[in-house]
Amino acid sequence: MKHLTYILLGTTALAALATASCATGSRSSAGGEVTGVGGSAWAEPTPYGMVLVDRGSMKVGVSKPDSAWNLTPDARGISVDGFWMDETEVTNGKYKQFVFWVRDSIIRERLADPAYGGNEDFKIEEDREGNPVTPHLNWSKPIPWRNPNEDEQRAIESVYRTNPITGVRELDGTQLNYRYEIYNHTEAARRRNRLDPRRRVYNTDRPVPTEQPTISKDTAFITDEGEVIRQTITRPLQSDYDFLNTYIVNVYPDTTAWVNDFENSYNEPYVRMYFSHGGYTDYPVVGVSWEQANAFANWRTDFLRRSLGRDGIYVEPYRLPTEAEWEYAARAGVDENIYPWDGDLTLSEDKGCFYANFKPGEGNFVRDGHVITSRVGTYAPNDFGLYDMAGNVSEWTSTAFTESVSRLTNDLNPEYRYDAALEDPYKMKRKIVRGGSWKDVAHNIRSDLRMWEYQNEQRSYIGFRCVRTQIGFARGNKQKR
């Protein structure tokens, strides 16, 4: 087993401090007094499609008993720092951009491969001065979708398949694997894992440790036959690279979830249409596992970093929200809210309009105007400006599930992460989902309830949204009273 908390590595805090010091220098002396070193300040732009959730505190969890649902109060006070959050769930259109990026990266790799013509323009191996650099794809070179030559046509067609039954040309989702690396900054920062044993124990009455601590790291590779091999390595600590984990994740959603989640139902049209048809572009993506959601967040971070066009720049990573962040955001920081709106009702008393997309009655999915999911943003947002925090689709969080998770976490930015190894029991691979979905009754879309799913499961009713930690704290931000 292994206990891992992973955060994308950008620049270290030490490097960031050194950069700031070099850029600003020290303030002018004042009679020999220490006046401090200035730092460069910047106004963080609003990430596209996100809203700022200011730092605050509230009581999370169930606060009132409910014998009908066997609920016992377990509310406790927590505080979270400010963060940006997607105002809607990630849509098919946004996730499809990720899928197509992976597709296009594979095509570019093959266009540069001698087996497909070996066009060197699609891969950069030297800088402008002719010095060797780490080989990487040239994204400024367009793929010749129109009028390709014979080799280019073979490279493009290699990521597609012809359905042997229908004869339809379709994207081969089995090839769409995304490889990425995550530096486990939290584990690397722990005192027990310091490379210098003299810095692990500060108690001078105790001897300096002589044995290296044991670490676990994830690695993955693709065999010559194209098989993805995932391994968890356990060994004595050797270097900082022992905290660098490698993942290879197939990113294509499981469109068959619409059939496999519902026995004896005619949901085949959703299998064929929900992810691929343009009519569902602005609907929440589903059939995406916790692992795939994390891969999307990593790609989204790298995509932003590349667009800035500067090497070595630090970008606060996109990630899944912690359970505490999710609940605080959903309830708009109000202790009394059990839904993202005021009160205990799921529809307005004056107009009879529903506040969310869920299952209003037994066998009645359409009373709220929808049979399955609805277009994101269909219903009014909560007071934080967030849409669909109840219903539509349940949402992955980064938090691992265990029956005692509330007792394991701190009250400051609470989080419990367990990145399960392949050999771990399946019960160790549970992750918390929140918010309920289009198939759930009113009780199950409450914002104070905790549910879970296995991290590799892909459901027709689970999606996700991303967050980014706010850098610093801007002046003028309003605080919840």
Side-chain angles (χ1 to χ4, degrees):
M1 296 184 182
K2 59 187 184 134
H3 192 180
L4 292 180
T5 305
Y6 55 81
I7 298 176
L8 182 69
L9 176 67
T11 57
T12 64
L14 184 61
L17 180 60
T19 301
S21 300
C22 293
T24 60
S26 59
R27 298 173 183 171
S28 60
S29 61
E33 298 291 345
V34 174
T35 59
V37 174
S40 58
W42 70 95
E44 183 184 30
T46 301
Y48 178 80
M50 287 187 153
V51 298
L52 179 62
V53 177
D54 282 339
R55 63 188 181 186
S57 64
M58 69 173 297
K59 290 187 178 296
V60 296
V62 177
S63 58
K64 296 180 181 179
D66 188 336
S67 57
W69 292 92
N70 194 28
L71 296 180
T72 55
D74 63 351
R76 67 185 186 113
I78 60 97
S79 295
V80 293
D81 211 340
F83 57 94
W84 300 95
M85 190 176 215
D86 282 332
E87 62 181 355
T88 70
E89 294 141 342
V90 172
T91 62
N92 282 322
K94 288 184 177 179
Y95 194 84
K96 199 177 293 182
Q97 185 176 353
F98 176 36
V99 170
F100 286 175
W101 184 94
V102 174
R103 176 202 65 183
D104 292 354
S105 68
I106 295 173
I107 292 175
R108 282 186 166 85
E109 284 281 2
R110 291 177 181 169
L111 287 168
D113 188 333
Y116 293 91
N119 189 335
E120 297 178 355
D121 291 341
F122 285 97
K123 204 162 193 178
I124 298 173
E125 298 183 350
E126 296 180 347
D127 61 18
R128 294 179 179 178
E129 286 73 36
N131 301 312
V133 296
T134 301
H136 58 280
L137 296 178
N138 181 9
W139 285 89
S140 64
K141 175 71 174 176
I143 294 174
W145 297 105
R146 296 183 178 180
N147 303 318
N149 61 38
E150 183 177 346
D151 288 329
E152 293 169 341
Q153 183 69 28
R154 287 193 304 112
I156 293 172
E157 290 301 322
S158 68
V159 297
Y160 290 86
R161 65 185 290 269
T162 299
N163 188 302
I165 306 301
T166 64
V168 175
R169 176 180 177 269
E170 56 193 20
L171 191 60
D172 184 3
T174 62
Q175 296 189 50
L176 303 184
N177 295 318
Y178 175 68
R179 181 187 182 276
Y180 68 102
E181 294 180 332
I182 291 288
Y183 185 81
N184 189 337
H185 200 283
T186 298
E187 285 301 303
R190 295 193 190 282
R191 185 177 296 175
R192 65 172 182 262
N193 289 333
R194 288 175 176 170
L195 293 172
D196 185 351
R198 295 169 297 181
R199 300 183 62 234
R200 294 182 200 145
V201 178
Y202 285 1
N203 186 343
T204 55
D205 292 336
R206 298 174 57 186
V208 175
T210 57
E211 295 183 357
Q212 292 289 77
T214 300
I215 59 91
S216 292
K217 63 173 294 181
D218 291 329
T219 185
F221 61 92
I222 300 178
T223 66
D224 293 338
E225 292 73 29
E227 181 184 2
V228 175
I229 303 296
R230 300 173 62 179
Q231 296 177 335
T232 300
I233 298 173
T234 301
R235 68 186 184 196
L237 177 63
Q238 298 175 0
S239 71
D240 284 330
Y241 284 97
D242 285 330
F243 303 106
L244 189 65
N245 298 275
T246 303
Y247 299 95
I248 299 177
V249 178
N250 184 273
V251 303
Y252 203 81
D254 182 7
T255 58
T256 67
W258 293 100
V259 167
N260 291 303
D261 287 343
F262 302 94
E263 292 290 336
N264 301 319
S265 296
Y266 180 64
N267 292 333
E268 291 179 22
Y270 305 138
V271 173
R272 295 190 294 269
M273 307 292 283
Y274 185 81
F275 183 66
S276 60
H277 195 279
Y280 289 102
T281 294
D282 295 325
Y283 285 63
V285 67
V286 297
V288 173
S289 69
W290 181 87
E291 296 166 349
Q292 290 173 313
N294 276 290
F296 174 89
N298 178 272
W299 166 80
R300 188 175 178 180
T301 304
D302 280 350
F303 190 77
L304 175 61
R305 183 184 292 111
R306 283 191 300 271
S307 71
L308 298 176
R310 287 182 289 171
D311 294 332
I313 189 171
Y314 179 76
V315 174
E316 189 63 25
Y318 291 98
R319 56 183 175 82
L320 293 180
T322 67
E323 181 192 28
E325 288 172 333
W326 192 97
E327 183 172 341
Y328 176 77
R331 297 169 68 181
V334 179
D335 293 347
E336 292 75 24
N337 285 356
I338 64 171
Y339 292 108
W341 52 84
D342 296 337
D344 298 344
L345 301 177
T346 54
L347 73 168
S348 60
E349 295 183 274
D350 53 346
K351 297 182 180 179
C353 297
F354 284 95
Y355 294 135
N357 176 16
F358 65 106
K359 184 180 179 182
E362 182 179 357
N364 190 343
F365 291 88
V366 299
R367 189 178 165 204
D368 60 3
H370 307 277
V371 177
I372 53 168
T373 57
S374 57
R375 182 177 283 106
V376 297
T378 296
Y379 298 86
N382 70 358
D383 288 344
F384 280 173
L386 299 166
Y387 295 86
D388 299 318
M389 294 300 285
N392 213 14
V393 292
S394 298
E395 299 178 15
W396 291 111
T397 72
S398 60
T399 308
F401 175 81
T402 176
E403 287 74 7
S404 57
V405 64
S406 295
R407 296 191 295 273
L408 294 173
T409 53
N410 205 299
D411 56 2
L412 170 63
N413 293 320
E415 172 67 324
Y416 174 70
R417 295 191 181 182
Y418 186 88
D419 191 12
L422 288 178
E423 65 271 16
D424 280 341
Y426 200 40
K427 67 178 295 185
M428 304 299 294
K429 301 175 183 180
R430 295 176 292 179
K431 299 297 186 286
I432 291 174
V433 294
R434 285 301 204 114
S437 73
W438 58 271
K439 73 169 187 62
D440 290 310
V441 296
H443 172 270
N444 290 342
I445 67 170
R446 284 174 50 162
S447 302
D448 57 348
L449 295 183
R450 173 184 294 136
M451 299 181 183
W452 59 267
E453 184 54 88
Y454 295 103
Q455 66 185 47
N456 62 340
E457 275 288 1
Q458 299 160 294
R459 299 293 191 184
S460 60
Y461 47 84
I462 298 180
F464 69 101
R465 72 181 77 207
C466 295
V467 299
R468 280 178 65 190
T469 300
Q470 181 191 16
I471 300 177
F473 186 67
R475 294 177 180 178
N477 280 7
K478 296 180 180 179
Q479 291 296 292
K480 181 176 68 72
R481 299 290 183 183

